[in-house]
Amino acid sequence: MGDERRDEGVESGGDALAGVDVDLNIFALANGMDLYRDHTDPPDRVLEWFRDGLERRIHLRPSPAGTLDMEVAALGKIDGERRVRRAPFRSSVATGELRGLLIEAIDAANALRRDELT
């Protein structure tokens, strides 16, 4: 899955991500989150926070159509093993729609339960 930390200085991947980096930075700062840039292909952005004993994440990936696909995740250790639950949230999101969906994505990530981690 590649949970390694990302380098904050990496160039933006894809036109869709380049257009939202400033907004994501501001959103992360205003909501006590970390913003990471993944070295995946294509590169994605990850908003991360901690709640109820689990790391919570929103993954944003550029799609070939110039839109973004969103996924939510929860990660934690159970019996000494790192476990994760990932769930699709929205696909083909236009960059102009992103800001309105981030709060819903936070709620969806926070709704993932410890007993759902695999």
Side-chain angles (χ1 to χ4, degrees):
M1 181 177 92
D3 287 332
E4 302 82 29
R5 286 293 175 252
R6 283 60 68 177
D7 177 16
E8 299 280 342
V10 173
E11 286 291 315
S12 296
D15 292 336
L17 289 174
V20 298
D21 274 342
V22 171
D23 286 340
L24 289 175
N25 238 341
I26 292 168
F27 185 85
L29 287 170
N31 290 284
M33 300 175 163
D34 294 318
L35 173 62
Y36 300 107
R37 294 177 177 100
D38 261 343
H39 289 285
T40 56
D41 186 21
D44 68 353
R45 299 297 182 267
V46 179
L47 289 164
E48 183 178 81
W49 66 101
F50 190 79
R51 179 167 178 183
D52 298 330
L54 299 173
E55 294 172 42
R56 310 295 179 147
R57 293 183 179 171
I58 300 170
H59 291 263
L60 304 164
R61 290 192 176 86
S63 69
T67 58
L68 297 169
D69 294 332
M70 299 175 73
E71 180 180 78
V72 296
L75 300 91
K77 280 196 175 184
I78 298 176
D79 299 327
E81 290 185 36
R82 190 152 174 86
R83 308 246 175 124
V84 65
R85 166 81 164 101
R86 294 182 123 176
F89 179 68
R90 297 279 190 279
S91 60
S92 302
V93 175
T95 57
E97 299 175 296
L98 181 61
R99 204 176 305 170
L101 291 174
L102 287 173
I103 298 298
E104 289 180 42
I106 290 170
D107 291 341
N110 286 339
L112 297 173
R113 298 185 325 264
R114 177 175 291 281
D115 62 354
E116 296 176 317
L117 304 184
T118 58

